[in-house]
Amino acid sequence: MEATKLKMITEELSRYAGMVTEESVREMAEAVKSAKRIFLAGAGRSGLAARGFTNRLLHMGFDVHFVGEISCPPIGEGDLIILGSGSGTTQSLVVMGEKAKRVGAKIATVTMFPTHMIGEMSDVIVTVPGSTPKKAEGEKNLAESVQPMGNLFEQMSWLVYDSIIMALMEDLGQTAEEMMARHTNLE
């Protein structure tokens, strides 16, 4: 019997989950805890995963902002910006990282390519497996996927962000009930 498409995807996620180190997840959690404010950015579907992480950090009570929203304040010293970029070369995110560095903020990234431009400027890196058609010529993907385009990276990013939330909940002794109390009531 042929595996369902959903089973193929979940098996792929399970197979590659071990490539994400617990040490990098913990390091990202520490960076979040020590930041004055947290900013997140990502383009396309990577940006959607970063938006989900922004929402959960808000539920935990952090002062958190998604870059590009009208309510986003200026970044400054003591802040942290987390850039989600599979390729590690997304030009708009490179510019944000350079700006953050100039004003004394720390940079973290979730990426497939830690040696690319965004990774090179980052203080904290979570390397996530995936495959992308955006890799440089001759460069190898960290994983081969049955899925199209950057799906594996984007899904793994979402799960990595959720892992960081679980680490923060444990570190800070927060419960889901406490988080729910900070959930919007304007739905």
Side-chain angles (χ1 to χ4, degrees):
M1 182 172 158
E2 185 180 337
T4 66
K5 302 301 183 218
L6 179 58
K7 188 168 171 64
M8 290 169 65
I9 292 168
T10 57
E11 286 173 354
E12 183 172 87
L13 290 168
S14 182
R15 182 170 61 252
Y16 289 120
M19 290 179 73
V20 178
T21 68
E22 183 65 20
E23 179 183 332
S24 67
V25 168
R26 287 279 171 196
E27 191 176 355
M28 182 76 79
E30 290 301 320
V32 166
K33 288 189 308 189
S34 65
K36 184 170 72 175
R37 294 178 301 181
I38 303 138
F39 296 78
L40 284 104
R45 287 170 44 114
S46 298
L48 294 174
R51 283 179 186 272
F53 187 43
T54 304
N55 188 239
R56 284 293 180 252
L57 289 171
L58 174 77
H59 293 154
M60 293 200 72
F62 289 101
D63 187 354
V64 61
H65 308 276
F66 193 83
V67 176
E69 295 295 326
I70 198 162
S71 59
C72 187
I75 193 167
E77 191 171 342
D79 293 336
L80 171 70
I81 188 166
I82 301 171
L83 304 171
S85 174
S87 69
T89 60
T90 308
Q91 194 56 48
S92 60
L93 302 179
V94 169
V95 170
M96 288 178 207
E98 290 169 344
K99 175 77 167 209
K101 273 284 191 218
R102 277 196 306 274
V103 299
K106 287 195 172 189
I107 301 172
T109 188
V110 173
T111 186
M112 284 184 278
F113 298 106
T115 60
H116 286 188
M117 291 164 49
I118 295 171
E120 288 293 318
M121 68 174 84
S122 292
D123 301 291
V124 177
I125 301 170
V126 179
T127 304
V128 174
S131 60
T132 180
K134 294 182 182 178
K135 66 186 180 304
E137 190 173 326
E139 194 165 38
K140 294 200 182 297
N141 285 311
L142 292 178
E144 292 307 318
S145 180
V146 297
Q147 301 179 71
M149 303 176 70
N151 283 18
L152 176 60
F153 170 76
E154 295 144 6
Q155 293 157 354
M156 289 294 292
S157 294
W158 195 286
L159 296 173
V160 163
Y161 291 138
D162 284 346
S163 298
I164 296 164
I165 291 296
M166 290 176 70
L168 289 166
M169 288 176 72
E170 186 177 280
D171 291 352
L172 301 172
Q174 284 209 25
T175 65
E177 291 77 20
E178 290 170 313
M179 291 171 65
M180 190 62 193
R182 295 184 197 98
H183 192 283
T184 185
N185 61 0
L186 295 174
E187 294 181 308

